[in-house]
Amino acid sequence: MPPSADNVIARLRELAIETPSWGYGDSGTRFATFPQPGRPRDVYERVDDAAEIHRLTGTAPAVALHFPWDAVEDYGELRAHIEARKLRVGAVNPNLFQDPDYKLGSVTHPDAAVRERAIAHLLECVEIATELGSTAQSLWLADGTNYPGQDDLRARRRRMLDALARVHAVLPPAQELLIEYKFFEPAFYATDLADWGSALLTCQKLGDRARVLVDLGHHAQGTNVEQIVALLSEEGRLGGFHFNNRKYADDDLVVGSVNPFELFLIFCELVASPGPLPRLTIDQSHNVEAKVEAMVLSVTNLQEAYAKALLVDGQALVAAQQAGDVLAGHEALLDAFRTDVRPLCARARRELGAAEDPIAALRASGYAARVAAERETHQEISR
Ligand code: RM4
Ligand code: MN
Ligand code: MN
């Protein structure tokens, strides 16, 4: 028997998604950026948008931050602003990909002085995380090479391991280090952390508090992401997710929009994993869609994928697998996937004090028009 509706709702109520501060501001492609009315002008307004997502969904209680994009003078003030909006700080994300110094790499750079700069930023992010009460530093490196012979692949790996070991060594007990991989871009010949295996080996070398972060957009076409999730979970190294959806590359489309079945299968692996859910963060920088609404839709898509995974009849699945009944096992998954879980999710949200239909509630609330008026008519604020 699948679990009861009450059980599913109890588990749904515990789902906690982190939304990304960097997903609320203007973004675009390398061809153009399309400014949206009401876009937040600073981290405080990005937090306000994140709070609106949580108000509507009841399931987005944390905001992940990116530095230096979200840097402020007074982190106590920022933390108070976040907590006053009933949010907490999610993972702190360092940025080692924009400074001209990092053209040839950051922690893998051939010049030791550049590597020291990169390490100093990672150590600064440990301090920022401490001040903000964050429990993770989530690291994605843009490091890589574009041409064979451009640099020594093994030396780059050793430089990276030395640098990250220094960061891991000073992590306070409350913090962990999440290591994200990406198979290409911005480097096109060799990415220093290209896949889950490279990230896992790195974590195993660093120590217990380093775990792998899986960004759904960072794999080659056809990769079985749910199997990667199962493997990392079995190794005790599944640190978390960056949720988005992709069609071709690192597209950052709304999670669950292109391949909801893949998302469901990933949640099936999470439901099968012992212990609490790992860190679940959205990593989407939208180009043409309304940003707050896109983030609400992303959270409701995650709620639905989780609800469907919770509805799988585990006994029927195991019985089919043990009987070698290939399609019965598959059909046990399809039964759950085809269930319309919208009423269940609406009930869970109602019990959380959120909106039964968050998209309709957002549209009816006038939030977009209000922030468009407030944020356009005032001078650029500086805090
Ligand atoms: C990268 C990666 C990182 C994110 C940046 C903005 O592709 O996904 O997680 O911090 O984009
Ligand atoms: Mn990511
Ligand atoms: Mn990405």
Side-chain angles (χ1 to χ4, degrees):
M1 285 288 287
S4 69
D6 285 348
N7 273 337
V8 172
I9 285 177
R11 301 275 296 272
L12 270 180
R13 289 181 53 165
E14 284 163 14
L15 187 63
I17 306 295
E18 300 189 6
T19 71
S21 69
W22 60 97
Y24 296 106
D26 278 339
S27 55
T29 65
R30 68 183 190 276
F31 303 104
T33 297
F34 304 105
Q36 293 196 4
R39 62 196 172 278
R41 293 161 296 180
D42 63 11
V43 61
Y44 292 88
E45 292 180 351
R46 291 192 278 276
V47 167
D48 294 346
D49 283 356
E52 182 66 5
I53 311 300
H54 186 44
R55 184 183 75 77
L56 292 161
T57 64
T59 294
V63 57
L65 299 177
H66 219 301
F67 295 94
W69 293 338
D70 292 322
V72 291
E73 289 287 307
D74 183 344
Y75 285 106
E77 188 192 36
L78 177 59
R79 185 174 177 171
H81 182 91
I82 291 169
E83 291 174 356
R85 277 148 190 77
K86 301 195 178 72
L87 297 177
R88 61 173 189 270
V89 178
V92 161
N93 291 249
N95 183 322
L96 295 175
F97 48 84
Q98 282 197 309
D99 194 284
D101 274 2
Y102 300 139
K103 186 167 95 173
L104 303 179
S106 61
V107 292
T108 61
H109 198 285
D111 181 345
V114 175
R115 297 202 295 278
E116 283 306 317
R117 238 199 106 187
I119 294 166
H121 176 57
L122 299 178
L123 297 176
E124 181 196 14
C125 283
V126 173
E127 297 296 320
I128 293 173
T130 302
E131 286 187 67
L132 292 173
S134 162
T135 54
Q137 172 161 164
S138 187
L139 176 64
W140 171 69
L141 295 176
D143 294 40
T145 50
N146 269 1
Y147 291 93
Q150 179 186 327
D151 197 2
D152 180 328
L153 300 180
R154 298 166 196 233
R156 290 178 73 86
R157 178 162 185 268
R158 286 193 293 266
R159 294 170 201 147
M160 176 187 71
L161 289 171
D162 286 349
L164 298 187
R166 282 172 57 190
V167 179
H168 189 273
V170 301
L171 284 178
Q175 283 177 42
E176 62 177 343
L177 183 61
L178 303 179
I179 305 286
E180 179 176 353
Y181 57 90
K182 179 174 174 178
F183 76 125
F184 87 116
E185 194 192 44
F188 293 110
Y189 167 63
T191 295
D192 290 300
L193 277 174
D195 53 30
W196 67 270
S198 319
L200 177 60
L201 286 173
T202 301
C203 291
Q204 287 171 337
K205 278 217 155 46
L206 292 177
D208 286 349
R209 263 173 315 130
R211 295 196 292 162
V212 179
L213 183 135
V214 179
D215 182 315
L216 268 49
H218 290 190
H219 307 88
Q221 299 287 24
T223 301
N224 186 331
V225 180
E226 58 273 23
Q227 188 178 26
I228 295 171
V229 173
L231 272 160
L232 292 173
S233 166
E234 286 286 301
E235 293 299 316
R237 295 284 185 167
L238 179 62
F241 287 86
H242 272 178
F243 285 122
N244 49 61
N245 214 163
R246 58 83 65 112
K247 179 75 178 158
Y248 296 106
D250 195 17
D251 308 344
D252 281 354
L253 304 178
V254 166
V255 60
S257 60
V258 178
N259 195 348
F261 193 57
E262 177 189 63
L263 184 64
F264 161 75
L265 295 173
I266 288 169
F267 270 96
C268 288
E269 291 304 330
L270 293 181
V271 169
S273 305
L277 291 168
R279 187 174 296 266
L280 306 173
T281 306
I282 292 171
D283 181 9
Q284 294 168 192
S285 293
H286 303 118
N287 298 330
V288 295
E289 53 279 67
K291 282 166 194 276
V292 172
E293 184 170 324
M295 212 59 86
V296 170
L297 180 60
S298 302
V299 174
T300 58
N301 283 353
L302 291 166
Q303 289 171 325
E304 289 176 17
Y306 187 38
K308 289 181 181 193
L310 289 166
L311 281 174
V312 172
D313 184 342
Q315 281 168 351
L317 185 63
V318 170
Q321 291 170 348
Q322 291 193 340
D325 190 338
V326 176
L327 287 185
H330 178 58
E331 283 156 4
L333 297 186
L334 288 181
D335 270 348
F337 180 67
R338 288 172 176 155
T339 309
D340 183 358
V341 294
R342 288 174 296 179
L344 261 182
C345 293
R347 209 183 110 196
R349 283 189 293 266
R350 187 174 67 234
E351 291 182 15
L352 285 165
E356 285 190 31
D357 182 343
I359 299 282
L362 172 66
R363 290 189 170 211
S365 71
Y367 183 81
R370 181 160 60 77
V371 296
E374 278 173 17
R375 294 174 183 174
E376 300 301 323
T377 54
H378 291 77
Q379 285 288 316
E380 191 76 11
I381 45 175
S382 56
R383 279 194 171 100

